[in-house]
Amino acid sequence: LESPPSARRGPGEWATESRPGSANDMPKIYFHREFAEVECEDGVDLRTVALDHGIDLYPGLLKYLNCRGKGLCGTCRVRVVQQDRLSDKTRAERTRIPETDPTVRLACQTAPYGDVDVQTFPRVRQGWMQHQCYQHLVEEVDAEGLNARATD
């Protein structure tokens, strides 16, 4: 069974035809903490886009001690609410990111194919935050964070 030419693929494996939707529009990426909106080419991963535009993904010494986009270290985590506009999760993402927060992705393994909002340095939600007695805290954080922009 072959997928259609416009189907999502992994980073760097985009179809030669244009994306579904508009003909030549490039995806826009809005980085929340940096208040930066940038455009990128199809198939370029979020790590490359961020570093090309001077946006830090790595805290402290991890700027120098990382895997350089190979998906081995898991230090380039970002939060993206619009999961339907991203490439599918790779094996590296499934093994290095806990399942408690499905919006956290590895920037080096994630390619956007539509407009997305990205939060750098996300705080990974722990399992205890899923309990019903803590849901009001999670909802307050979400209301102030990415979900407020996603509904605009």
Side-chain angles (χ1 to χ4, degrees):
L1 214 212
E2 286 188 27
S3 59
S6 61
R8 292 189 299 183
R9 292 167 173 45
E13 300 174 359
W14 293 94
T16 55
E17 298 177 13
S18 62
R19 287 179 291 114
S22 57
N24 292 324
D25 288 342
M26 295 195 316
K28 291 182 183 174
I29 303 170
Y30 180 73
F31 291 94
H32 281 274
R33 293 188 192 267
E34 294 78 12
F35 302 106
E37 186 171 304
V38 298
E39 290 185 347
C40 70
E41 304 267 339
D42 279 344
V44 178
D45 59 76
L46 291 173
R47 177 187 183 273
T48 302
V49 173
L51 295 179
D52 287 349
H53 290 88
I55 296 171
D56 286 332
L57 292 176
Y58 304 102
L61 287 176
L62 292 178
K63 291 177 186 175
Y64 309 106
L65 303 174
N66 61 66
C67 68
R68 305 286 188 246
K70 306 278 191 277
L72 301 173
C73 64
T75 57
C76 61
R77 293 179 183 181
V78 294
R79 176 169 286 130
V80 183
V81 174
Q82 302 92 346
Q83 292 293 308
D84 59 331
R85 300 177 191 165
L86 300 175
S87 59
D88 294 328
K89 285 191 176 186
T90 62
R91 175 183 277 173
E93 289 181 285
R94 290 190 301 269
T95 57
R96 283 168 184 75
I97 298 177
E99 293 294 322
T100 56
D101 191 356
T103 61
V104 175
R105 302 286 300 267
L106 292 179
C108 66
Q109 301 293 305
T110 305
Y113 70 94
D115 297 350
V116 293
D117 297 331
V118 176
Q119 178 189 17
T120 55
F121 307 113
R123 190 180 87 191
V124 178
R125 293 184 179 147
Q126 304 300 321
W128 61 267
M129 293 178 81
Q130 303 301 320
H131 193 274
Q132 63 183 357
C133 68
Y134 296 106
Q135 286 304 306
H136 70 282
L137 296 174
V138 174
E139 290 168 3
E140 288 174 15
V141 170
D142 285 345
E144 296 171 5
L146 287 177
N147 290 342
R149 174 149 168 85
T151 58
D152 289 346

